């Protein structure tokens, strides 16, 4: 989504330099919100990759690139390595870490504007993008639109005011945005999708990532999910309404991801795009009735 560089010094220190895309993060306030959140979490003893100020005390640099204005930030390097979340121990540990982000995020405040991860952002804007990318497949788009509206109604039926709302990481799949040490101490990074949203949506991405990676082993999926929730609950409570909403948000996350991919030919080749990708998503949405969650048969 952005251009990220490894920076090394002559003394073998490592840093990360991120240049945000000008057509993705257009506003200074979006970046400033993210950096304030990182500093807040760090002050509350959560290990994150931190922004580093320049000699003038500024965290955000502005680059007048040929394609337009782009913002950039130098970050500390997240020590450790990526690990697959493939057993109950690491799944529980990650659940605790996510709960701590949500717990400490409850006291975060910022004067900078950031898009909320609400239904308009997740569903309506995604459908607008998908429609534009499926002009040659109007009937198929109408089906996807029906699914999106059905998922929205399922959330409204919970209802929404029973769901926990607050700071979210936005991309908690547990891979490529957290570094693990040998004793499972974690450093979190890549908060590019952070914002205020439903915590059930935030953890739905963890569930979706496990579904994708364990599609042929539903029993292992449930073991990892149960361990994650047990770890989360040891730090912070989630209501029954939040847990009921997770499978709905898994479907909504798929809809949002479809819109993200169809909106971004800039990174074609890194992610899917085109009719084969659309067919894959259509198959997913057509199978919602037979999904692992019984609630989907009621939604559709």
């Amino acid at each position: 989504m952005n251009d990220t560089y490894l920076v090394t010094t002559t003394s073998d220190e490592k840093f990360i330099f991120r240049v945000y895309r000008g057509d993705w993060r257009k506003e200074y306030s979006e970046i400033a919100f993210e950096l304030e959140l990182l500093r807040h979490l760090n002050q509350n003893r959560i290990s994150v990759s931190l922004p580093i100020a320049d000699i003038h005390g500024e965290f955000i640099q502005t680059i007048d690139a040929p394609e337009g204005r782009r913002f950039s930030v130098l970050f500390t390097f997240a020590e450790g390595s990526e690990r697959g979340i493939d057993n109950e121990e690491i799944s529980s540990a990650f659940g605790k870490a996510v709960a701590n982000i949500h717990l400490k995020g409850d006291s975060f405040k910022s004067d900078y504007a950031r898009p909320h991860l609400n239904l308009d952002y997740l569903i309506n804007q995604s459908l607008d993008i998908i429609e534009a990318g499926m002009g040659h497949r109007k009937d198929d788009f109408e089906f996807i639109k029906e699914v999106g509206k059905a998922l929205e109604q399922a959330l409204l039926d919970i209802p929404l005011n029973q769901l926990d709302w607050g700071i979210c990481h936005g991309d908690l799949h547990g891979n490529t945005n957290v570094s693990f040490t040998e004793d499972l101490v974690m450093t979190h990074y890549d908060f590019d999708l952070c914002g205020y949203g439903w915590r059930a949506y935030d953890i739905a991405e963890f569930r979706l990532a496990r579904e994708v990676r364990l599609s042929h082993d539903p029993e292992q999926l449930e073991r990892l999910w149960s361990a994650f929730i047990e770890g989360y609950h040891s730090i912070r409570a989630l209501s029954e309404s939040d847990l009921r909403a997770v499978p709905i948000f898994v479907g909504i996350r798929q809809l949002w991801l479809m819109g993200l991919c169809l909106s971004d030919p800039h990174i074609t080749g890194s992610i899917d795009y085109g009719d084969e990708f659309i067919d894959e998503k259509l198959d997913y949405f057509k199978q919602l009735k037979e999904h692992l969650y019984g609630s989907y048969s009621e939604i559709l």
Side-chain angles (χ1 to χ4, degrees):
M1 298 304 302
N2 301 292
D3 295 319
T4 304
Y5 301 87
L6 173 65
V7 178
T8 58
T9 70
T10 54
S11 56
D12 293 329
E13 292 180 291
K14 294 180 180 179
F15 301 90
I16 295 296
F17 186 63
R18 165 163 286 182
V19 183
Y20 292 83
R21 289 244 313 277
D23 59 348
W24 171 245
R25 293 299 177 200
K26 301 178 182 179
E27 303 300 329
Y28 180 96
S29 64
E30 293 180 305
I31 314 299
F33 181 100
E34 175 188 343
L35 303 190
E36 280 196 347
L37 175 59
L38 290 171
R39 296 198 298 275
H40 172 85
L41 293 176
N42 177 68
Q43 290 166 3
N44 284 273
R45 300 183 179 180
I46 293 179
S47 180
V48 295
S49 174
L50 282 168
I52 300 172
D54 64 16
I55 58 174
H56 303 293
E58 298 294 330
F59 289 96
I60 302 174
Q61 314 300 318
T62 302
I63 298 173
D64 293 323
E67 64 273 20
R69 184 182 64 172
R70 299 180 65 177
F71 299 111
S72 59
V73 178
L74 185 69
F75 291 94
T76 58
F77 186 81
E79 297 294 342
S81 59
E82 182 182 353
R83 288 188 55 174
I85 300 182
D86 53 7
N87 62 58
E88 292 171 68
E89 179 188 12
I90 194 170
S91 189
S92 176
F94 190 67
K96 292 178 182 179
V98 169
N100 265 315
I101 290 175
H102 289 170
L103 181 66
K104 302 306 181 182
D106 285 337
S107 59
F108 174 70
K109 294 181 180 179
S110 176
D111 292 329
Y112 290 107
R114 181 84 173 190
H116 284 191
L117 310 178
N118 54 24
L119 291 182
D120 180 61
Y121 174 82
L122 296 173
I123 296 180
N124 296 333
Q125 293 181 35
S126 296
L127 287 173
D128 288 343
I129 295 167
I130 294 168
E131 182 177 20
M134 292 183 64
H136 60 306
R137 301 179 64 168
K138 294 183 179 180
D139 290 342
D140 286 334
F141 168 73
E142 287 302 318
F143 169 75
I144 290 177
K145 182 178 179 181
E146 289 176 9
V147 171
K149 294 304 179 181
L151 291 168
E152 179 179 4
Q153 187 58 53
L155 279 181
L156 295 174
D157 289 343
I158 286 181
L160 290 178
N161 61 11
Q162 294 182 9
L163 300 181
D164 182 24
W165 175 273
I167 280 294
C168 295
H169 178 283
D171 202 22
L172 287 172
H173 45 73
N175 303 97
T176 69
N177 53 25
V178 59
S179 287
F180 296 86
T181 61
E182 289 299 321
D183 54 358
L184 297 187
V185 173
M186 303 174 204
T187 298
H188 304 272
Y189 56 94
D190 192 10
F191 281 70
D192 182 44
L193 296 178
C194 72
Y196 288 102
W198 291 287
R199 266 56 184 273
Y201 168 75
D202 214 16
I203 66 173
E205 171 56 18
F206 175 84
R207 172 85 198 199
L208 175 58
R210 305 287 80 70
E211 288 181 2
V212 171
R213 288 168 172 78
L214 298 169
S215 58
H216 301 297
D217 193 348
E219 291 184 2
Q220 177 69 349
L221 166 65
E222 294 306 326
R223 284 193 291 269
L224 295 185
W225 176 246
S226 294
F228 173 86
I229 292 299
E230 182 180 353
Y232 190 103
H233 278 164
S234 70
I235 302 297
R236 187 177 185 275
L238 280 172
S239 70
E240 287 300 317
S241 294
D242 289 311
L243 294 176
R244 280 178 54 208
V246 169
I248 303 169
F249 276 123
V250 169
I252 291 173
R253 177 72 175 187
Q254 282 281 38
L255 188 74
W256 179 83
L257 285 169
M258 184 177 185
L260 176 70
C261 294
L262 291 179
S263 70
D264 208 347
H266 172 86
I267 50 177
T268 298
S270 299
I271 58 173
D272 293 323
Y273 191 91
D275 282 311
E276 185 176 346
F277 168 73
I278 292 172
D279 289 339
E280 177 187 327
K281 291 300 183 184
L282 276 170
D283 287 342
Y284 173 86
F285 290 122
K286 288 176 180 178
Q287 292 171 13
L288 282 182
K289 291 182 181 179
E290 303 172 3
H291 200 273
L292 290 171
Y293 303 103
S295 59
Y296 276 143
S297 61
E298 300 168 5
I299 293 169
L300 302 179

